[in-house]
Amino acid sequence: MSDNTFDYIIVGGGTAGCLLANRLSADASKRVLLIEAGRKDDYHWIHVPVGYLYCIGNPRTDWLYNTEPDAGLNGRSLRYPRGKTLGGCSSINGMIYMRGQARDYDQWAALTGDDTWRWDKVLPAFRQHEDHYKLDLPKGHRGVAVNESFQRLHGHNSQHSNGQGRKMGGEWRVEKQRLRWDILDAFSAAAQQAGIPATDDFNTGNNEGVGYFEVNQKAGWRWNTAKAFLRPACDGRPNFEMWTSTQVSKLVIERQDDGSQRCIGVEVRTGNETRTALVTRGDSFIGEVILSAGSIGSPQILQLSGIGPGALLRQHDIPVLVDLPGVGANLQDHLQIRSVYKVNAIAGSRTQNFTLNTLANSFWGKAKIGLEYALRRTGPMSMAPSQLGAFTRSSPDQPYPNIEYHVQPLSLDAFGEPLHNFNAFTASVCNLNPTSRGSVQIKSPRFDDAPAITPNYLSTPEDRRVAADSLRVTRRIVGQSALTGWQPEEFRPGVQFQSDEDLTRLAGDIATTIFHPVGTTKMGRTDDPMAVVDTHLRVRGVLGLRVVDAGVMPLITSGNTNSPTLMIAEKAAQWIQQGK
């Protein structure tokens, strides 16, 4: 086998790619190449949880995409962060562990006609890599063999898990947050007064409730997929190779003697050097190329390679190898509407620094924050971008929780902007199941030109209605007695806006992405003309090529999308190893 020939070539060292590299290289007989356009994840701000503030908008770790001007956002264009480093978006995201709702996966199964995507069938794939803090061994048992101790503590039939679908011992660490805030506890109490039940687990299949999010951290550090799945396992495997700072410019497609087309490799650029990596082709085994470049990168690479909407490809003088209109279509995202409320000190409060705005706006406050993290790995530097979550209905006629809150003890105009100089909290709310659909389309035949990202937010009557209703839900929660002592004052959008028309227009003015693009290479039935991959994620019309990332989701999940992407990769790895 030559140095540039591999059994599996994985394009993208992000969330899905790192897990795939781990699973596929576990077979010592298979040679695996992982290609990542970004650099290694050795930038210190990747690993400090609050470091997302320094990673988003930073060319060291972010692709620096922007959306096209959007009519639903009143002509605004949004910054569109995507991870460009080992670990991908898991190196810059909010670290929230969220599976979604059982109905999400049951809908996938119904849409695709494949029951392997039902909730009860995907749950084992979530659990396979999970390491949940609630199942940690007590200190007195840490010297005992894990299996023996766990069996004694939790029963001989537990299989390192409990009845609620959690597991210990996997690579993907899930922990509780290492902080709390009085203002967040007050918001939680107000939400309960407004009819939202308290919960300590958003991952049972029905995530209705209010509580602190669980996060992908380990002892106060971000836990990204590079640490979880690449190190140390892959680093010590002689059959594993990794190319970083290497961007795939196009796929290498070859027409076979029988007229079919097969992906036989990738063309890449490293600096000014062009290289080609090929897959194994033998009598008993033919290798695969696996696109895990994400919901933006994977459709871009397909289109540059001649796989996509024929009219778009011809517009850029790219030969059409497979006319697949769904490549780059069906873009879905969670649009968050950020309500900001000024608050005042409650009677008897021991400190005026009861939100991060004022705590972080002084030298001594910053010193206190840094010292607490240095000594205990707790406090604001251990914060995920959002700490408190809530799932509820935007109106009583909704059959299930259809909106999600991310609540923070801080406020700012936008990520990357300074904190406001007054005490405030932010209650961001997003429509979990938007009906608006957007697209990702190349702007030129050059691989280093960013594609046009057009989400088409708030482009349907349903989405505009949910936007207005969700702002009213926020006001109803904040109006409860549990927050009265904090004297909340609506700073944004402002109480003067009351009508559906006003609230929808204001949502367009203040809303921003919550960084969950999916669906641009969706899976589907054979009779679905917009499906890009089948239910085992194989690209239509091209042998030896799969897409394994959030782009294959036919519908967006009801929650944060990072962990569902890992589940997809876990299932795909099994199929690839089984030759399915």
Side-chain angles (χ1 to χ4, degrees):
M1 185 181 295
S2 66
D3 288 341
N4 70 333
T5 302
F6 302 86
D7 297 302
Y8 301 116
I9 298 174
I10 303 166
V11 179
T15 296
C18 286
L19 185 145
L20 287 168
N22 179 293
R23 300 296 188 252
L24 298 180
S25 65
D27 180 351
S29 71
K30 297 295 188 291
R31 193 163 182 239
V32 177
L33 171 64
L34 178 65
I35 303 173
E36 167 56 39
R39 293 159 59 183
K40 292 183 178 179
D41 60 326
D42 53 6
Y43 181 50
H44 67 283
W45 282 121
I46 290 174
H47 306 290
V48 178
V50 80
Y52 70 91
L53 291 170
Y54 305 97
C55 292
I56 291 175
N58 183 343
R60 170 66 178 79
T61 49
D62 185 358
W63 281 94
L64 303 181
Y65 293 134
N66 290 281
T67 67
E68 299 298 295
D70 198 307
L73 301 183
N74 304 323
R76 289 189 299 134
S77 175
L78 299 181
R79 178 187 290 177
Y80 215 67
R82 296 284 87 198
K84 188 179 182 182
T85 182
L86 277 182
C89 289
S90 78
S91 292
I92 69 170
N93 70 359
M95 295 165 280
I96 292 171
Y97 181 73
M98 187 68 60
R99 293 172 177 167
Q101 296 177 11
R103 65 180 180 86
D104 298 331
Y105 304 99
D106 292 344
Q107 285 180 310
W108 288 12
L111 285 171
T112 63
D114 189 340
D115 279 350
T116 62
W117 291 105
R118 284 176 52 86
W119 168 250
D120 60 334
K121 298 296 174 60
V122 303
L123 190 56
F126 278 110
R127 292 173 56 211
Q128 187 168 341
H129 49 257
E130 184 182 88
D131 182 25
H132 203 284
Y133 77 96
K134 288 186 178 179
L135 300 183
D136 285 350
L137 297 177
K139 290 182 179 179
H141 293 271
R142 287 177 183 170
V144 183
V146 170
N147 187 58
E148 176 188 344
S149 179
F150 190 89
Q151 297 286 351
R152 183 168 65 253
L153 289 170
H154 299 281
H156 288 286
N157 296 320
S158 62
Q159 295 181 348
H160 302 278
S161 64
N162 70 1
Q164 296 177 332
R166 302 190 186 98
K167 182 177 177 290
M168 65 177 290
E171 301 94 343
W172 196 229
R173 181 65 176 169
V174 181
E175 294 191 348
K176 64 179 179 180
Q177 296 184 67
R178 301 165 70 88
L179 51 77
R180 56 166 295 280
W181 291 79
D182 288 343
I183 185 63
L184 297 184
D185 292 343
F187 187 95
S188 176
Q192 292 171 59
Q193 290 175 341
I196 304 173
T199 184
D200 64 354
D201 192 349
F202 287 121
N203 290 297
T204 63
N206 176 11
N207 51 21
E208 186 166 18
V210 59
Y212 281 87
F213 288 121
E214 294 176 335
V215 291
N216 295 120
Q217 293 182 9
K218 194 166 189 176
W221 299 99
R222 175 189 289 273
W223 195 243
N224 70 350
T225 56
K227 284 188 279 194
F229 298 101
L230 293 186
R231 297 187 297 271
C234 292
D235 288 350
R237 293 171 178 169
N239 61 320
F240 174 73
E241 190 167 332
M242 180 170 66
W243 298 350
T244 55
S245 301
T246 301
Q247 188 169 350
V248 171
S249 56
K250 68 176 181 179
L251 306 170
V252 181
I253 310 293
E254 182 178 85
R255 185 170 294 278
Q256 309 295 292
D257 292 340
D258 61 2
S260 63
Q261 297 188 100
R262 175 175 290 277
C263 183
I264 63 167
V266 297
E267 183 181 286
V268 304
R269 291 289 296 274
T270 304
N272 293 323
E273 180 186 2
T274 299
R275 303 171 65 184
T276 301
L278 301 173
V279 295
T280 307
R281 288 189 286 173
D283 294 335
S284 60
F285 178 84
I286 301 178
E288 284 196 30
V289 173
I290 305 150
L291 274 181
S292 297
S295 296
I296 308 303
S298 287
Q300 179 187 20
I301 292 170
L302 288 170
Q303 291 169 7
L304 290 170
S305 306
I307 304 167
L312 174 68
L313 304 186
R314 285 187 286 269
Q315 175 186 338
H316 297 294
D317 297 321
I318 296 174
V320 180
L321 302 183
V322 184
D323 190 344
L324 280 182
V327 174
N330 194 47
L331 174 62
Q332 300 159 60
D333 191 13
H334 288 143
L335 182 73
Q336 63 173 348
I337 307 171
R338 301 171 62 250
S339 293
V340 174
Y341 287 84
K342 293 183 177 181
V343 289
N344 293 301
I346 56 177
S349 175
R350 291 175 296 173
T351 174
Q352 296 297 312
N353 297 328
F354 50 82
T355 72
L356 190 61
N357 284 13
T358 49
L359 180 60
N361 272 342
S362 71
F363 171 81
W364 293 112
K366 291 176 182 176
K368 178 183 176 182
I369 290 170
L371 185 62
E372 180 178 1
Y373 187 74
L375 295 177
R376 300 190 304 185
R377 298 289 181 268
T378 59
M381 286 188 70
S382 73
M383 283 172 56
S386 299
Q387 301 78 47
L388 187 77
F391 291 81
T392 189
R393 294 163 170 79
S394 61
S395 64
D397 61 344
Q398 291 290 337
Y400 40 72
N402 70 316
I403 56 175
E404 176 185 9
Y405 280 90
H406 292 77
V407 191
Q408 306 132 352
L410 55 88
S411 66
L412 37 70
D413 290 333
F415 280 114
E417 299 295 321
L419 295 170
H420 292 144
N421 61 2
F422 48 79
N423 278 308
F425 70 87
T426 299
S428 295
V429 61
C430 71
N431 178 357
L432 290 170
N433 310 115
T435 54
S436 299
R437 297 292 183 267
S439 65
V440 175
Q441 296 186 333
I442 55 172
K443 292 181 177 180
S444 83
R446 295 182 294 274
F447 74 93
D448 47 359
D449 285 349
I453 303 170
T454 310
N456 291 330
Y457 294 121
L458 301 175
S459 59
T460 66
E462 295 86 353
D463 288 359
R464 292 191 290 273
R465 183 173 63 251
V466 171
D469 288 345
S470 64
L471 284 169
R472 293 191 176 98
V473 174
T474 305
R475 287 172 172 171
R476 188 174 80 244
I477 293 171
V478 176
Q480 301 298 316
S481 62
L483 278 167
T484 299
W486 295 87
Q487 302 174 347
E489 175 189 346
E490 185 173 320
F491 174 70
R492 181 176 291 146
V495 294
Q496 67 271 31
F497 304 107
Q498 294 290 334
S499 69
D500 283 358
E501 182 180 358
D502 283 345
L503 292 176
T504 301
R505 185 181 70 256
L506 264 294
D509 284 341
I510 66 177
T512 186
T513 176
I514 206 166
F515 321 135
H516 296 165
V518 308
T520 52
T521 52
K522 77 165 187 173
M523 60 177 158
R525 299 172 183 264
T526 56
D527 60 354
D528 181 353
M530 297 301 290
V532 176
V533 298
D534 67 13
T535 57
H536 281 194
L537 314 185
R538 296 169 293 206
V539 175
R540 287 183 171 178
V542 184
L543 300 172
L545 178 63
R546 297 189 204 231
V547 179
V548 182
D549 56 37
V552 305
M553 298 183 188
L555 292 174
I556 196 167
T557 54
S558 299
N560 309 72
T561 54
N562 189 251
S563 291
T565 302
L566 278 178
M567 177 276 294
I568 290 168
E570 194 77 79
K571 291 178 74 69
Q574 295 173 8
W575 291 327
I576 294 167
Q577 290 169 319
Q578 295 165 0
K580 294 183 178 180

